Amino acid sequence: MQQIIYFFQKFKYFLFYLLLAFIAIALTLNNLNFHKSKYVNSANSITGGLYSKSSNISEYFSLKSENELLSIENTKLRNQLQKYKSINDSVIEKVIIDSSNFQQKYSFINAKIIKNDFTNPFNFITINRGKNNGVKHEMAVINSKGIIGITDNSKNKYARVQSILNKNSKINARLKNSFYFGTLTWDGKDYKIVQLLDIPRQAPIKVGDTIETGGKSTIFPEGIPIGTITKINIGNTADNKIDIKLFNDMSNLGYVYVIKSLDKIEIKSLENLVDE
Amino acid sequence: MNKTVYLILLFVFLLFLQIFVLNNINFLGYINPFLYIAFVFYFPLKENKFPILFFSFLLGLIIDFFSDSGGIHALSIITIAYLRLFFVRVFFKKLPSDYSFFNLQTEAFGKVFNYIVTLTIIHHFILFAFINFSFQNFTSVLTNTLFSSVFTLVLFFLANYIFTKEQ
């Protein structure tokens, strides 16, 4: 007994250090796990509140470019709308809209990025929408130029997004012209370049082709732009790696949309059926 | 000024400086200084390590909350907080009885330089090794450590020079 007390007396600082280090390492490991990152993150009300105050000030400096983006997006949407209007117009007598066949699959929530990282291998973004606004775990985040990430944790007013610039993120993506699909990952080096893996060898790819989301996951709708191919793997490695330059400048992001998939529960329950 | 008030102000100042200014510098795309470790350098020397370990852990953890890094900043700052007395003994040859009179400003610049550089490099190396979290890209850990350390050290010595000149 004497020996134990003496031991604690002698090494009390080191033991305290070990205790704190153990807590810190446990938090670090938790943070890297997509389904467990609950405790230390910037989505809680104090850090989120401070970040939203600071972004309220700094957003004035990017007002001009934000306005430009918004006007470009409005033009695009108006053009699309006109297309549908003309289609509708030409066949107006034959079409009977059946509401049960005309199902909405996705709904959009607008949000603002209040904190953005792009320099680490594991990057996270914080947005100013949370549970109160209907943002939940595992929802897609995009803007008018392309994809940004997936929400991984939501508190009452703020949510944290796992950016596509995170070594853990895996997103289903395909070629725009041929529908061969692969997995989009990031190697942690350059924030403008991401990697597309496991595209079949017979797929006709060349530099400059556009990549978009594949719609094989329940999170992203299909056809959201990602980027263009810049480098094709010429050697015969197993993963057939392709470098892709993102349309989005991940270092300069403002307003985004969070996509809520309305059919997610149904699709998941189908996929999880046990084989009989 | 009262020692406790001074430390609380230093804590809050370094925290907000790190979160809102230094984390957003991104010099050449990715180089950020981590000046908050100055808290460990300015914390008064004592035999009892519990206060410095606890407060530096708190500072690191709050910075982790803001930068979504789990517990990496906390881990690296408590490591240098724990090793501090050892390096004071190595570089300054101080006995525990000298601790209460110890002041970075009155020591020889060469010794202070060695002491600060050693602790800064240890801190930055642990930080970037855990941020990278794999054995791949090890060269990027080393280059990040080098560049960020230089940035932090330049800022620290500049600030140290500016704020102590009047005395």
Side-chain angles (χ1 to χ4, degrees):
Chain A
M1 197 64 203
Q2 196 79 41
Q3 297 263 318
I4 296 173
I5 293 170
Y6 179 70
F7 174 79
F8 277 116
Q9 276 292 325
K10 196 175 174 197
F11 291 107
K12 58 186 174 185
Y13 300 127
F14 186 63
L15 288 172
F16 187 59
Y17 167 73
L18 276 189
L19 174 75
L20 293 180
F22 178 75
I23 296 172
I25 291 174
L27 288 173
T28 310
L29 293 178
N30 251 331
N31 189 47
L32 295 177
N33 190 328
F34 186 70
H35 295 283
K36 277 189 188 163
S37 55
K38 279 179 198 154
Y39 310 108
V40 179
N41 63 53
S42 57
N44 63 54
S45 60
I46 301 169
T47 54
L50 281 171
Y51 269 132
S52 80
K53 282 217 174 67
S54 96
S55 92
N56 273 344
I57 298 165
S58 59
E59 75 180 333
Y60 284 105
F61 299 108
S62 59
L63 266 186
K64 201 174 167 187
S65 60
E66 280 296 328
N67 277 340
E68 215 162 287
L69 263 183
L70 207 60
S71 129
I72 291 171
E73 195 189 3
N74 272 341
T75 320
K76 204 173 95 190
L77 292 177
R78 269 179 194 281
N79 280 335
Q80 272 177 9
L81 200 64
Q82 286 303 323
K83 247 183 243 166
Y84 288 120
K85 263 189 187 160
S86 66
I87 292 170
N88 228 355
D89 206 28
S90 60
V91 286
I92 196 151
E93 283 170 18
K94 293 174 192 164
V95 174
I96 302 156
I97 290 175
D98 185 352
S99 62
S100 66
N101 284 340
F102 203 75
Q103 263 186 3
Q104 188 180 2
K105 280 186 187 166
Y106 300 99
S107 73
F108 290 70
I109 304 162
N110 77 316
K112 192 176 84 185
I113 286 180
I114 55 174
K115 178 235 157 195
N116 183 15
D117 266 347
F118 52 91
T119 51
N120 302 328
F122 299 90
N123 293 307
F124 295 97
I125 295 167
T126 313
I127 56 174
N128 68 344
R129 294 280 185 270
K131 272 183 198 155
N132 295 349
N133 314 95
V135 174
K136 286 189 199 128
H137 189 240
E138 282 192 13
M139 285 184 174
V141 180
I142 65 165
N143 69 3
S144 59
K145 283 186 185 168
I147 64 170
I148 286 168
I150 299 171
T151 57
D152 83 331
N153 201 315
S154 83
K155 298 278 163 68
N156 285 335
K157 282 168 153 179
Y158 304 96
R160 188 170 80 159
V161 178
Q162 189 187 55
S163 157
I164 43 170
L165 302 183
N166 187 312
K167 277 171 144 184
N168 286 334
S169 90
K170 287 187 175 59
I171 290 163
N172 180 284
R174 71 173 182 210
L175 296 163
K176 194 175 184 182
N177 51 12
S178 64
F179 290 12
Y180 285 106
F181 66 91
T183 312
L184 194 75
T185 55
W186 188 51
D187 63 0
K189 282 175 189 153
D190 186 350
Y191 70 87
K192 286 172 192 149
I193 308 285
V194 293
Q195 280 71 35
L196 183 63
L197 305 182
D198 301 332
I199 282 275
R201 258 160 221 294
Q202 69 270 27
I205 43 175
K206 53 181 188 293
V207 171
D209 281 359
T210 307
I211 304 292
E212 59 182 20
T213 55
K216 301 280 190 298
S217 74
T218 52
I219 300 172
F220 279 100
E222 62 183 313
I224 292 170
I226 295 172
T228 53
I229 296 177
T230 54
K231 206 176 112 199
I232 296 166
N233 171 34
I234 300 162
N236 267 326
T237 53
D239 53 2
N240 199 18
K241 193 157 84 178
I242 299 168
D243 278 1
I244 290 162
K245 186 175 188 305
L246 290 169
F247 288 130
N248 256 326
D249 180 2
M250 294 297 285
S251 64
N252 180 18
L253 297 172
Y255 287 85
V256 294
Y257 306 106
V258 182
I259 304 178
K260 193 176 182 175
S261 172
L262 302 173
D263 295 343
K264 188 170 158 188
I265 295 165
E266 199 176 329
I267 296 172
K268 281 257 157 144
S269 70
L270 264 177
E271 283 175 349
N272 291 340
L273 280 183
V274 185
D275 287 337
E276 283 168 274
Chain B
M1 204 194 307
N2 189 343
K3 270 268 164 59
T4 329
V5 177
Y6 167 73
L7 277 178
I8 292 170
L9 283 180
L10 186 70
F11 187 96
V12 175
F13 172 72
L14 287 174
L15 178 67
F16 283 96
L17 184 73
Q18 184 64 42
I19 295 162
F20 290 114
V21 183
L22 301 183
N23 272 354
N24 301 318
I25 286 185
N26 295 329
F27 181 63
L28 296 184
Y30 61 95
I31 303 169
N32 279 338
F34 296 96
L35 198 62
Y36 68 92
I37 53 171
F39 185 72
V40 174
F41 305 147
Y42 287 133
F43 203 89
L45 284 193
K46 268 182 207 133
E47 262 300 84
N48 187 357
K49 284 183 190 170
F50 287 125
I52 185 173
L53 278 176
F54 179 75
F55 287 113
S56 51
F57 181 73
L58 204 64
L59 178 64
L61 197 66
I62 296 175
I63 289 172
D64 278 323
F65 265 101
F66 277 96
S67 49
D68 282 309
S69 49
I72 298 171
H73 288 284
L75 177 70
S76 37
I77 196 175
I78 56 166
T79 307
I80 61 165
Y82 180 75
L83 293 175
R84 185 177 71 144
L85 281 188
F86 170 74
F87 284 109
V88 166
R89 246 174 282 143
V90 169
F91 288 121
F92 299 106
K93 312 261 181 326
K94 294 281 180 193
L95 295 170
S97 54
D98 301 327
Y99 285 168
S100 52
F101 306 109
F102 181 80
N103 187 356
L104 275 185
Q105 267 83 52
T106 54
E107 296 295 327
F109 182 76
K111 288 176 181 178
V112 174
F113 185 78
N114 286 343
Y115 168 69
I116 303 276
V117 168
T118 316
L119 286 184
T120 307
I121 288 178
I122 291 173
H123 171 270
H124 283 41
F125 180 73
I126 295 172
L127 183 74
F128 285 111
F130 271 85
I131 281 179
N132 191 41
F133 213 75
S134 78
F135 292 108
Q136 295 166 346
N137 297 342
F138 200 70
T139 47
S140 87
V141 174
L142 295 180
T143 50
N144 271 333
T145 307
L146 181 70
F147 293 145
S148 272
S149 299
V150 170
F151 201 168
T152 309
L153 289 168
V154 167
L155 273 186
F156 176 77
F157 284 114
L158 269 181
N160 205 21
Y161 178 72
I162 292 167
F163 288 120
T164 56
K165 217 190 161 199
E166 301 151 23
Q167 289 169 8

